[in-house]
Amino acid sequence: MEDAPIILVVEDDHLLQAVVEEALSEGGFQIIIAPSGEKAMELLDTSGEKYRALVTDINLGRDRLNGWEVARHAREINPAFPVIYMSGDSAEDWASLGVPNSIMLPKPFAPAQLLTAVSQLLNNVPPSTT
């Protein structure tokens, strides 16, 4: 598992954290969970190059950074950074607020859909040489 791609998951709901973590772990990925947009930005700033993809909820709490902002920040670090958004109520904003070449998973979704989305994006991005 040590060589497994590391996925940064940004989700403030503990139940969804567990579902996402289980689905991706069973799919062969390592998971780092950030419970807020602020923590995700901190992780990206300190070691963004180690993450192979970002899976983020859109709404991460009132008066907090949201998933749109986290994804844009990830793309500032790496313009090809794979991004998967998850949302129960903001999916209609994806076309205008989401980063290009990302995937939106409307909640609720099946764990297999998440795994497919991550795999699809990773297959389209060459591995980092760092």
Side-chain angles (χ1 to χ4, degrees):
M1 189 74 168
E2 193 151 311
D3 291 336
I6 302 171
I7 310 298
L8 177 58
V9 175
V10 189
E11 175 58 68
D12 59 343
D13 180 295
H14 295 293
L15 291 174
L16 274 173
Q17 284 177 1
V19 169
V20 169
E21 183 172 20
E22 182 178 347
L24 293 175
S25 294
E26 288 180 3
F29 298 102
Q30 290 184 60
I31 312 305
I32 302 293
I33 294 182
S36 69
E38 289 78 6
K39 181 64 177 175
M41 295 278 220
E42 180 184 314
L43 291 170
L44 286 166
D45 285 341
T46 57
S47 54
E49 68 281 347
K50 82 176 187 179
Y51 303 109
R52 290 288 311 280
L54 171 69
V55 175
T56 184
D57 188 12
I58 301 300
N59 298 310
L60 297 167
R62 188 177 169 100
D63 298 325
R64 310 282 309 228
L65 290 174
N66 62 41
W68 306 123
E69 294 165 308
V70 174
R72 281 192 291 275
H73 189 69
R75 287 287 178 87
E76 288 171 6
I77 293 167
N78 175 355
F81 207 98
V83 174
I84 294 96
Y85 296 106
M86 308 176 290
S87 184
D89 62 1
S90 297
E92 67 277 357
D93 296 327
W94 176 50
S96 61
L97 298 175
V99 296
N101 302 314
S102 59
I103 293 176
M104 170 58 78
L105 287 178
K107 294 177 185 174
F109 54 84
Q113 289 175 288
L114 174 60
L115 196 54
T116 299
V118 170
S119 298
Q120 177 183 337
L121 287 181
L122 286 179
N123 286 334
N124 293 332
V125 176
S128 173
T129 55
T130 57

